[in-house]
Amino acid sequence: MRPGVVLTSLGELVTVRDLFVEEGPIPREKALVPLIRGSGPPDREALAAEARATLEELGRLVESDGTRRREAARALERVREASEEAARLRNTASEMREAARRAAGLAGSALDEPTRQRAEQSAAKAGRLATRAEAHAAVMDTEARTLAARADIARLLGEQRSREEDTRMKEELALAGSYLDGGRYEEARRLLDSVEQNISSVPDLTEAFETLRRRESTVKMRAAEAALAEARRLHRREPARAIEVIEEAPLEGVPEELARHLYGCWLAACRRLGLLAAIHYRAGPCRGAVLMPAPDGRWEVVSALGLRRWERGRRFAPRALRGARPLA
């Protein structure tokens, strides 16, 4: 163990510093303050030179990537040209095959020999042209596939598809917004449901999508509230009209209490129709139908709420309506 040392001034530290030298590198946990050696002018010049070299190297990389991208863009354009040319050639081949068929038919039905001979020649020529067009189309297809398989072109194609997808979703979100502005919440909902499947791949549009979803809920609730107010006004004097108003109102996704009020008003209006022998089939919370007996022994839907594909006039066997109760 080293003897204790008492220092009375910083100057005395120089005389005993050798006592505190540790063998090996200084542990990382003890190096609390980084030590910078050689910070004079020569080192600063070296740092500046190294920084310039790094920037120059970065510039060369950017330029090289730009050149490669331009080359890949030209190759990608060639892929499009080859694909389009192959499509035109296949169309030509199809036309020539049809011409050959017609010419062969004429050769078999012509009344005079010269016409038959010329028709046979035309059929043969059209067949040869069709074969040549198909062969050229195959060459173009092969060229397009070979180019498209290159890694750089595949990367450009992926970037292009991503941009096209972004543009498509932006347009659909804008259209959904216009639907909501016009109160067409069902169209907006279907469109937003479609966009939702791919929105995670475009983070920049997530906020706009969520805003539209909130707007959709607000518009839907307001439409349901307006329908309820109108149906309550009508259900005593015009129950059939009240039923139509509620059938057209959004029920899915609205607050539970509002949905219960809509269902209750709808059921009250159905009872005011005075339907004899009608039944009420309840399929779940705020989901049900009113049906009348049909001549074939089944039950025919008069009105349904919250049940998809239970359109008016559809018939069901009694065993499918277990638990139904008389409407009155």
Side-chain angles (χ1 to χ4, degrees), residues 105-322:
L106 179 60
S109 62
L111 297 179
D112 59 277
E113 184 62 24
T115 300
R116 285 196 296 271
Q117 290 178 354
R118 287 196 296 272
E120 289 173 353
Q121 293 171 359
S122 295
K125 184 176 181 180
R128 289 194 299 271
L129 290 173
T131 301
R132 287 171 56 188
E134 289 167 351
H136 283 302
V139 171
M140 293 294 100
D141 281 333
T142 300
E143 181 182 357
R145 285 195 301 269
T146 301
L147 287 172
R150 279 174 37 180
D152 54 348
I153 296 181
R155 177 72 176 271
L156 286 185
L157 283 171
E159 293 175 355
Q160 178 180 317
R161 283 192 291 269
S162 179
R163 288 192 297 270
E164 291 173 351
E165 182 69 7
D166 291 358
T167 301
R168 182 186 67 81
M169 283 198 283
K170 286 178 182 177
E171 292 173 350
E172 290 185 348
L173 289 176
L175 182 58
S178 67
Y179 284 158
L180 291 175
D181 291 339
R184 299 164 61 184
Y185 46 84
E186 282 300 326
E187 290 94 330
R189 180 188 61 78
R190 285 193 291 268
L191 201 55
L192 290 174
D193 287 347
S194 173
V195 171
E196 189 173 15
Q197 299 175 5
N198 301 308
I199 194 65
S200 59
S201 63
V202 191
D204 293 343
L205 298 180
T206 302
E207 184 176 353
F209 172 78
E210 292 175 350
T211 299
L212 286 172
R213 274 299 195 199
R214 290 191 293 271
R215 282 188 59 200
E216 177 205 358
S217 298
T218 301
V219 170
K220 184 185 298 185
M221 186 172 67
R222 289 175 179 170
E225 290 173 342
L228 178 59
E230 180 68 5
R232 281 174 170 171
R233 187 182 66 83
L234 294 170
H235 84 284
R236 293 182 183 276
R237 293 178 292 101
E238 301 179 61
R241 177 57 187 148
I243 291 170
E244 292 177 356
V245 169
I246 294 177
E247 285 178 341
E248 295 171 359
L251 194 64
E252 184 179 353
V254 302
E256 183 180 353
E257 182 178 1
L258 178 56
R260 286 201 306 269
H261 285 308
L262 283 165
Y263 191 87
C265 187
W266 166 80
L267 190 57
C270 288
R271 285 175 174 145
R272 286 187 171 274
L273 291 176
L275 302 173
L276 298 176
I279 60 172
H280 170 217
Y281 172 69
R282 192 180 184 93
C286 304
R287 296 168 59 239
V290 170
L291 305 96
M292 288 284 293
D296 60 1
R298 294 185 296 170
W299 292 89
E300 183 175 312
V301 175
V302 175
S303 178
L305 203 63
L307 298 175
R308 295 184 179 181
R309 295 187 296 275
W310 282 57
E311 63 274 4
R312 190 170 298 175
R314 185 173 180 181
R315 296 181 179 182
F316 292 89
R319 64 176 178 274
L321 304 171
R322 292 175 183 173

Side-chain angles (χ1 to χ4, degrees), residues 10-21:
L10 291 175
E12 294 177 0
L13 181 61
V14 179
T15 63
V16 296
R17 62 185 178 182
D18 292 338
L19 297 176
F20 300 96
V21 175

